[in-house]
Amino acid sequence: MTDTPSTRAPDEITVIDVPERRRYQARTGERILGILDYEMHPVEGRIVLIHTEVLPDAEGMGVGSRLAKSALEDIRARGLKLTVECEFVAAYLKRHPRDYEDILAR
């Protein structure tokens, strides 16, 4: 990740899946603002969200929430089941308890 300061607004943040690195990246232009690491378990049709990290100068811009929401929506669209080890995503799910019940692995 680069440490160049950003003045871009949160709506200019995009989230992409980078499967070869097993992570989602929140970006503005070419600058990575945050990451959400995961493990795939394709035989089980399951993904485990492991860790979220946001650059210090991007905190408070909604980057972590954007990462969580985008990852969860992607997981749903791909028909995967979810296991959460990441404390940030677990807290996000507690704030949105009914929105993602359908994708949680039981």
Side-chain angles (χ1 to χ4, degrees), residues 14-15 24 65-75 92 100:
T14 58
V15 175
Y24 291 93
S65 293
R66 182 76 58 93
L67 272 166
K69 181 177 182 176
S70 295
L72 294 168
E73 294 298 327
D74 182 60
I75 291 163
Y92 182 89
Y100 301 101

Side-chain angles (χ1 to χ4, degrees), residues 87-102:
E87 291 178 14
F88 183 87
V89 175
Y92 182 89
L93 288 170
K94 284 183 182 180
R95 292 191 307 273
H96 305 276
R98 299 196 197 307
D99 295 347
Y100 301 101
E101 288 177 325
D102 61 312

Side-chain angles (χ1 to χ4, degrees), residues 10-16 25-29 66 70:
D11 57 336
E12 295 176 334
I13 296 170
T14 58
V15 175
I16 60 169
Q25 293 179 348
R27 305 175 71 100
T28 182
R66 182 76 58 93
S70 295

Side-chain angles (χ1 to χ4, degrees), residues 23-94:
R23 67 173 40 161
Y24 291 93
Q25 293 179 348
R27 305 175 71 100
T28 182
E30 293 299 313
R31 183 170 183 254
I32 299 171
L33 300 175
I35 59 166
L36 173 52
D37 291 322
Y38 63 81
E39 290 178 356
M40 286 297 300
H41 298 269
V43 172
E44 302 169 23
R46 186 171 59 94
I47 187 170
V48 181
L49 297 181
I50 307 239
H51 177 71
T52 301
E53 187 174 336
V54 175
L55 286 176
D57 66 326
E59 290 178 1
M61 294 174 50
V63 174
S65 293
R66 182 76 58 93
L67 272 166
K69 181 177 182 176
S70 295
L72 294 168
E73 294 298 327
D74 182 60
I75 291 163
R76 176 181 283 137
R78 293 166 58 191
L80 297 171
K81 289 298 180 182
L82 170 67
T83 300
V84 179
E85 292 181 3
C86 173
E87 291 178 14
F88 183 87
V89 175
Y92 182 89
L93 288 170
K94 284 183 182 180

